[in-house]
Amino acid sequence: MEFANRVVSAAMKATNNNAVINVCLVGSFVALAVRSVKQQRDIEALEAQKDSLTHSNKAMKKAMWGWKQQLFAEASSTDSALVPLSRLKAIYGEAPEHQIGDALKEDAKSSASKFVV
């Protein structure tokens, strides 16, 4: 019992002692500073990753645009293209609404004439 009384009195002295309180406050400040530095490093790494992904997405969009333009050029230059230009425009949403139905009919006619059984 005497041991418990000593522990309680030591705890009471510690709570009333400014040095102990200051040590606890400084320890808390250091812990928060370390956590803040770690979070700042994580944010910087994520921003660098975001910039890299944005750059690669822009490069992919440019490549896809080039492929699309090349596909349209090949479809418009030859009459024997596998997919007619009107059908390609309908697929990419560049044809007006009334032409989409016409493109489907034209596609059905061209595919029927190409495949002979």
Side-chain angles (χ1 to χ4, degrees):
M1 187 72 166
E2 187 176 322
F3 178 72
N5 287 335
R6 286 184 185 176
V7 170
V8 170
S9 70
M12 292 301 288
K13 286 179 185 177
T15 57
N16 293 331
N17 189 352
N18 283 339
V20 173
I21 293 172
N22 289 339
V23 167
C24 290
L25 289 174
V26 168
S28 299
F29 177 75
V30 168
L32 289 173
V34 168
R35 186 181 75 173
S36 177
V37 167
K38 181 184 178 299
Q39 288 177 344
Q40 185 63 34
R41 287 183 185 155
D42 291 343
I43 288 170
E44 289 170 358
L46 288 172
E47 286 176 350
Q49 184 180 9
K50 176 187 169 189
D51 291 341
S52 172
L53 289 173
T54 302
H55 179 69
S56 65
N57 282 347
K58 286 181 181 179
M60 281 191 282
K61 284 180 183 180
K62 284 182 182 179
M64 289 172 55
W65 175 257
W67 294 337
K68 180 180 164 184
Q69 295 306 312
Q70 181 183 1
L71 183 64
F72 280 4
E74 288 175 2
S76 66
S77 66
T78 61
D79 291 334
S80 63
L82 290 175
V83 180
L85 181 60
S86 58
R87 176 70 177 138
L88 284 175
K89 286 187 176 185
I91 289 170
Y92 284 103
E94 295 183 6
E97 289 289 326
H98 67 280
Q99 288 184 354
I100 293 174
D102 297 338
L104 291 174
K105 291 176 187 173
E106 182 181 316
D107 189 31
K109 289 178 185 176
S110 65
S111 64
S113 63
K114 289 182 183 177
F115 297 107
V116 178
V117 180

